Amino acid sequence: MKPNQGCRGNSIFTLKKEDQNYICRQHDTERQLNYSALEQHVQDVLAQGPCIMQPYVPSMNEMQEVVDFRVHIQRNGTGGWVPTKVYPKIGAPNSVISNLSKGGRTGDTRNVLQQQLSGDADLKIREMEQLSIRMAEEINHSYPFLIDELGMDFIVEPDGKLLFLEANISPQTRFHERERAANALEYAQYVARAGRMVPNPVVAMLTADPADKPLAVACAYAAKWNDAEFYYFGPTDVHAEWRFIKGCVYQNGEWEARYCPFPNVVYDRLKERGNANFGNVYAALRHVPFTDERKGGSFSKKNIYEMIQMDPELSEHLIPYQEVKHSDEVLAFIDMHGTSVIKPSLGSYGEDILIVQREEGGYTAKDHEHIRLMSEKEFTELITMIAAKNSHLMQTFIRSETQTGLPFHLRLHLVRNGEGAWSFLSVNPFLSTQSDQKVVNHPGSLRAFTTWDWLSRHEYPDKQEAMFATLQRIGLRMADCIAANISERICELGIDVGIDPLCKVWLFEANLNKIGSTHREFEVAQNMVPFALSLQ
């Protein structure tokens, strides 16, 4: 047991059960406790603060002294991590800890490793250094600033396996102050230069989603092709007072944290403008152009449908719909159109959708998990409750299914390009693996992803090119229609459509918010980066 936040080996003790008692060892002192005494001891310790428990896995030298290894790493004049010193910590005789402040000692790293291992000591030292730097990068992700130095502690097992003990923010340096000082001064100079503009334009991605990393890699390459710099950052990483951002830059196939200058343009993948929780980042970068200026959150489906109605060509693909206001209107809509869908005008991921239809003796209402048979009175009461929210629409249900009865929808992905025009990137089919789960994008649906080429070859073998041309024409026209009716700049659209048994394309909805890029990261990046650079 050891304190969650502790140092210098203070308050660390081991526990071992022997028969009905417990052996408690702290440093080089041993006590035998019964269960009641142990319980009181643990309560006293926890009163001082939270603790953690780990299996005690001591690594002993030939004198039966505990041994572990400290890897001291620092940031240098480039802002990157470098190993400063690797040294062993050898505990005092009979001690359960190796801390130098508790009577431990150090020695020659190679000699100690060679006594413990049959393998190459230099190779093991390099492995500890590399692992320490990789761990440090992960640790630093949680902080809005750069950590300047860490002491990483490892146990080396007899078979060479490394076990991580802990990371220390104030590592002992009494035996290598000169090396530490050299790196510290170089890093201080780096911090003093941080935020200065670089010769090439800078595009930065604002994101809080780890799933955006593959897209960030693609953007880093696309930026290089366009003679620009790229990094990504989170909403808490902006230091407006110093005019720099803690960003992640792509170096030798890895993301590394650095202090970066304010960008020339921000590629906004966060899309939380207007959300008070993220107000600081948008305020700090208010003078920097963003690829997307619209307020965050889902876009009203009702507004989208009203835009489509104004376009003669697009209106042919608009599913008949109406607002849910009165139960008698809903019943009349079902009688006219048959099976219908009731869904929120604002919402994502297929949540809160009902598929309703008239049955003999009443109505059925199906959500993602349940089918309910209701009398007309019960159904009317349900509709009245939904109508009171003043937020739902109803549409004719479109049977968009494969020949084997699997529901599917198509995501049309469009982004702006370097000329500011829309580029039609792809048609991405998503299929439900269960024929009774009609809402394909619901989080509870097990869905499969394929390509338009595979789907169309199987489902529409004689119409592949014509149908793709139709989808492309609809996507581009819809993107122009939406952009013309929104005053703020938008840079990316996901348009969901279905195809009925007569091969007619129907518009389901348009997504302006957080649009995925899986399997098409480079197509997005090679358009988005030039578009971002055009906004300087």
Side-chain angles (χ1 to χ4, degrees):
M1 282 188 70
K2 58 186 178 183
N4 189 39
Q5 291 187 332
C7 61
R8 300 180 181 276
N10 293 322
S11 303
I12 295 177
F13 60 95
T14 64
L15 292 168
K16 179 181 179 182
K17 188 174 183 180
E18 287 190 357
D19 298 325
Q20 299 303 310
N21 292 318
Y22 297 85
I23 306 301
C24 176
R25 293 186 64 196
Q26 186 165 357
H27 189 26
D28 55 0
T29 303
E30 182 175 297
R31 290 189 295 161
Q32 189 175 76
L33 306 172
N34 60 26
Y35 183 86
S36 177
L38 170 65
E39 188 174 38
Q40 183 60 53
H41 177 61
V42 172
Q43 288 177 355
D44 292 343
V45 170
L46 292 178
Q48 305 302 314
C51 293
I52 64 171
M53 295 185 70
Q54 294 175 306
Y56 181 55
V57 187
S59 176
M60 301 288 191
N61 63 11
E62 56 189 11
M63 299 173 63
Q64 293 302 296
E65 298 165 320
V66 294
V67 179
D68 60 58
F69 293 86
R70 165 66 55 84
V71 183
H72 184 188
I73 58 175
Q74 292 178 270
R75 294 192 184 272
N76 64 6
T78 69
W81 290 107
V82 291
T84 306
K85 180 80 172 180
V86 180
Y87 59 92
K89 297 184 296 170
I90 304 168
N94 300 317
S95 178
V96 297
I97 57 177
S98 62
N99 298 71
L100 303 185
S101 59
K102 292 292 187 290
R105 70 184 194 279
T106 188
D108 182 80
T109 306
R110 287 177 180 81
N111 288 341
V112 174
L113 276 172
Q114 285 169 350
Q115 292 172 12
Q116 291 188 275
L117 296 173
S118 57
D120 187 334
D122 289 331
L123 189 64
K124 190 57 58 179
I125 290 171
R126 287 195 297 272
E127 184 183 348
M128 283 192 281
E129 292 173 342
Q130 292 166 2
L131 185 56
S132 294
I133 289 172
R134 289 180 61 191
M135 284 185 164
E137 283 292 344
E138 291 300 319
I139 291 169
N140 212 154
H141 281 325
S142 302
Y143 296 89
F145 52 84
L146 295 184
I147 300 171
D148 63 335
E149 63 178 344
L150 286 171
M152 313 291 275
D153 290 344
F154 295 93
I155 289 173
V156 181
E157 294 195 302
D159 62 359
K161 182 180 179 181
L162 297 179
L163 296 179
F164 175 67
L165 283 174
E166 61 187 24
N168 300 272
I169 59 172
S170 300
Q172 172 64 248
T173 60
R174 72 172 78 163
F175 301 115
H176 56 282
E177 291 287 10
R178 183 183 296 275
E179 296 92 330
R180 181 196 191 192
N183 286 325
L185 288 172
E186 287 183 13
Y187 179 65
Q189 292 175 320
Y190 167 80
V191 174
R193 297 191 303 268
R196 295 183 184 179
M197 292 304 296
V198 295
N200 296 332
V202 178
V203 177
M205 176 193 289
L206 171 60
T207 179
D209 187 354
D212 279 337
K213 278 191 177 181
L215 177 58
V217 171
C219 288
Y221 283 111
K224 289 296 182 186
W225 296 335
N226 288 274
D227 297 319
E229 304 294 330
F230 177 85
Y231 64 88
Y232 77 83
F233 67 103
T236 63
D237 292 333
V238 179
H239 298 273
E241 66 275 31
W242 298 312
R243 294 285 301 177
F244 62 67
I245 294 173
K246 191 212 87 177
C248 288
V249 299
Y250 201 57
Q251 302 273 10
N252 301 317
E254 299 285 345
W255 289 106
E256 298 180 1
R258 294 289 192 277
Y259 283 142
C260 303
F262 271 31
N264 298 89
V265 187
V266 174
Y267 175 19
D268 189 1
R269 294 285 294 182
L270 183 68
K271 295 189 179 178
E272 291 289 356
R273 187 182 294 275
N275 184 332
N277 294 325
F278 300 96
N280 288 342
V281 65
Y282 289 99
L285 297 170
R286 61 187 177 277
H287 302 303
V288 178
F290 276 62
T291 55
D292 202 299
E293 297 176 325
R294 193 183 70 86
K295 284 190 175 182
S298 299
F299 196 77
S300 166
K301 297 177 181 65
K302 176 175 177 288
N303 288 352
I304 292 287
Y305 297 157
E306 289 172 347
M307 294 176 192
I308 294 172
Q309 280 180 317
M310 297 167 59
D311 186 296
E313 181 178 341
L314 291 176
S315 62
E316 294 181 7
H317 302 276
L318 179 61
I319 303 171
Y321 80 98
Q322 70 179 31
E323 294 182 76
V324 177
K325 289 188 174 181
H326 304 289
S327 59
D328 56 343
E329 292 177 350
V330 171
L331 301 185
F333 188 95
I334 295 172
D335 288 340
M336 177 180 292
H337 298 281
T339 305
S340 301
V341 175
I342 296 176
K343 62 185 181 182
S345 182
L346 288 173
S348 302
Y349 306 112
E351 299 277 15
D352 300 324
I353 290 179
L354 286 177
I355 299 173
V356 297
Q357 64 184 43
R358 184 184 283 277
E359 302 283 356
E360 185 177 346
Y363 294 82
T364 57
K366 183 182 186 306
D367 62 15
H368 184 70
E369 295 181 346
H370 307 98
I371 300 177
R372 295 176 177 84
L373 177 61
M374 314 174 88
S375 67
E376 183 168 328
K377 179 176 181 295
E378 292 171 328
F379 186 69
T380 300
E381 290 174 349
L382 172 65
I383 298 303
T384 301
M385 291 171 56
I386 293 173
K389 299 178 181 179
N390 197 32
S391 61
H392 283 65
L393 305 173
M394 69 182 309
Q395 292 178 309
T396 305
F397 175 73
I398 301 298
R399 190 162 65 87
S400 178
E401 297 176 348
T402 66
Q403 296 174 27
T404 54
L406 296 180
F408 74 88
H409 74 253
L410 307 176
R411 165 61 61 90
L412 314 182
H413 194 170
L414 298 98
V415 299
R416 300 276 195 184
N417 58 31
E419 287 71 47
W422 289 103
S423 288
F424 186 90
L425 293 191
S426 58
V427 180
N428 302 107
F430 293 91
L431 296 87
S432 172
T433 59
Q434 304 294 321
S435 60
D436 62 336
Q437 293 183 347
K438 307 298 185 183
V439 184
V440 181
N441 63 329
H442 189 282
S445 293
L446 177 59
R447 63 179 185 173
F449 169 84
T450 186
T451 65
W452 169 252
D453 181 58
W454 279 99
L455 181 73
S456 61
R457 190 187 313 169
H458 183 270
E459 300 292 323
Y460 317 107
D462 302 324
K463 303 177 180 179
Q464 286 178 273
E465 293 185 7
M467 292 191 70
F468 181 81
T470 298
L471 294 169
Q472 188 176 45
R473 185 180 70 253
I474 290 172
L476 290 169
R477 192 172 183 95
M478 188 146 174
D480 285 334
C481 175
I482 293 172
N485 284 277
I486 296 178
S487 57
E488 302 90 358
R489 179 166 54 239
I490 58 174
C491 66
E492 193 169 14
L493 279 171
I495 300 170
D496 292 340
V497 304
I499 301 176
D500 70 15
L502 299 177
C503 295
K504 181 170 181 179
V505 177
W506 294 97
L507 294 167
F508 286 169
E509 58 187 65
N511 189 347
L512 284 70
N513 196 25
K514 297 177 181 179
I515 301 167
S517 60
T518 305
H519 305 308
R520 53 194 186 277
E521 290 88 357
F522 275 92
E523 290 90 338
V524 175
Q526 69 185 9
N527 285 275
M528 189 62 69
V529 169
F531 172 64
L533 292 171
S534 74
L535 301 177
Q536 297 179 84

